[in-house]
Every structure is written in structure tokens, then in C-alpha cells.
């Protein structure tokens, strides 16, 4: 069977079906088919376009605000990149002792050897020690090279032996 032959048989069946209906049935079928066609066109073409447009109208102000924020952040990043690198003060025995004293930490011993500093701390608050190390990392680019920390019987108190190293190159650790 060819496609043309199948199509002609289908057309003939529809014609027989259509002629077998009364005039009133034909009107009902025509109105029903038109209603189904209109609903199908609306569902496939009109509704997605209308709802998509409404959704886009809601999103456009938010997207514009986000774009403005991104532009402001990009401008700020450009300005920060143009700033010269912060020069780090070299690590000294006095500077370490002063910063420790500011946190109420009393070192047992501070030994400096080249770029390394060794600190012996006894009976210090662990929270104060961690806060001091974080401040040194951010402000002076001092990182812990080696650490030995022992908990004491008193809650939150530790004995610590730290070896610190200062990163003084231009690239740094990215912390300023």
C-alpha cells in the first residue's frame, strides 16, 4: 500500500462518517473541533508566551540590580588591585612579645633564628592563642610552621610550642 492509497482510504472513511451524521450533529462536531483547536493553539502557543513574558517582567528588575551590584564589585576589585602591596614589618622578638602581651599571653621563651621564631607558652587560653595566631597571619603574614599543643587539666588551657615563619615576599599569602 502506498501513502496516497492509505490517505485516500482515510479520506473516504471520513466522508462516509460525515455524511452519515445529521445536520445538527455536524454543527456540534464542527463547534467541538473548533473549540479543541482553539484550546490546543492557546495551550501550545499563547499561554507559554504570556506566562513567560510575565515571569521575565518580574525577573528583569532583580537581574538589573544584580548586574549593578556586579559592576560595583568589579569596580571595587579594580581599585583594590591598583593599590600597592602592603609592606610587612619584619618579625622581631619585641614585636612578638608586644602582640602576645596585648592578648594577655605571657611567653616562657621567644627565640628568633633567621626567618623562624620559636615560642614556648605555658598555661595559656587556647581561644586567645588561636585569635593571636589568626591576627598574626592576617596582619604580619606570620604562619605556623610547626606546633605542639597539649591540653591542661583546666578547661580551655594549653601548653604550646610554636615555630613561626614570616612570609615577606610581594606575593604573600593573599592576606592583607
Amino acid at each position: 500500500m502506498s501513502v496516497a492509497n492509505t490517505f485516500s482510504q482515510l479520506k473516504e472513511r471520513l466522508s462516509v462518517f460525515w455524511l452519515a451524521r445529521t445536520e445538527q450533529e455536524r454543527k456540534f462536531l464542527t463547534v467541538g473541533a473548533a473549540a479543541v483547536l482553539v484550546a490546543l493553539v492557546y495551550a501550545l502557543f499563547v499561554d507559554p508566551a504570556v506566562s513567560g513574558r510575565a515571569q521575565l517582567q518580574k525577573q528583569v528588575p532583580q537581574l538589573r540590580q544584580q548586574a549593578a551590584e556586579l559592576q560595583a564589585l568589579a569596580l571595587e576589585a579594580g581599585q583594590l588591585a591598583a593599590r600597592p602591596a602592603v609592606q610587612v614589618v619584619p618579625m622581631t622578638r619585641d614585636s612578638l612579645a608586644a602582640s602576645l602581651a596585648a592578648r594577655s599571653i605571657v611567653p616562657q621563651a621567644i627565640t628568633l633564628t633567621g626567618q623562624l621564631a620559636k615560642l614556648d607558652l605555658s598555661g595559656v587560653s587556647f581561644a586567645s592563642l588561636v585569635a593571636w595566631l589568626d591576627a598574626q597571619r592576617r596582619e604580619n603574614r606570620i604562619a605556623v610552621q610547626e606546633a605542639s599543643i597539649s591540653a591542661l587539666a583546666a578547661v580551655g588551657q594549653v601548653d604550646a610550642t610554636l615555630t613561626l615563619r614570616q612570609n615577606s615576599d610581594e606575593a604573600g599569602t593573599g592576606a592583607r
Side-chain angles (χ1 to χ4, degrees):
M1 287 185 134
S2 68
V3 175
N5 194 12
T6 305
F7 185 70
S8 66
Q9 285 179 353
L10 181 62
K11 186 177 176 184
E12 187 176 316
R13 286 182 188 169
L14 281 174
S15 178
V16 168
F17 175 79
W18 188 255
L19 292 174
R21 306 290 143 225
T22 64
E23 189 64 34
Q24 186 177 11
E25 288 177 331
R26 288 183 197 162
K27 286 180 185 177
F28 283 145
L29 288 174
T30 303
V31 169
V36 168
L37 182 64
V38 167
L40 188 63
V41 167
Y42 181 80
L44 291 177
F45 300 110
V46 177
D47 184 47
V50 170
S51 62
R53 183 173 184 224
Q55 183 180 8
L56 287 175
Q57 285 177 341
K58 288 180 183 176
Q59 289 178 348
V60 166
Q62 293 171 346
L63 292 174
R64 284 188 180 145
Q65 180 182 1
Q66 290 174 355
E69 289 174 6
L70 285 175
Q71 288 174 348
L73 288 173
L75 180 64
E76 183 179 348
Q79 291 171 347
L80 289 174
R83 288 185 183 172
V86 176
Q87 295 298 323
V88 178
V89 177
M91 176 173 57
T92 64
R93 187 181 199 304
D94 293 335
S95 67
L96 288 174
S99 65
L100 285 166
R103 299 263 182 188
S104 301
I105 299 174
V106 179
Q108 296 294 320
I110 298 177
T111 309
L112 260 80
T113 310
Q115 293 182 349
L116 298 176
K118 185 172 182 178
L119 282 83
D120 288 322
L121 306 168
S122 180
V124 298
S125 166
F126 183 71
S128 295
L129 178 62
V130 170
W132 178 78
L133 287 171
D134 184 49
Q136 292 303 307
R137 179 191 58 84
R138 283 185 282 111
E139 297 166 6
N140 299 319
R141 293 185 186 157
I142 294 176
V144 176
Q145 189 81 18
E146 189 176 321
S148 173
I149 300 174
S150 303
L152 297 177
V155 177
Q157 298 294 309
V158 296
D159 285 343
T161 301
L162 304 171
T163 303
L164 306 175
R165 180 168 191 217
Q166 185 172 35
N167 187 3
S168 60
D169 63 349
E170 285 299 314
T173 59
R176 292 188 176 172

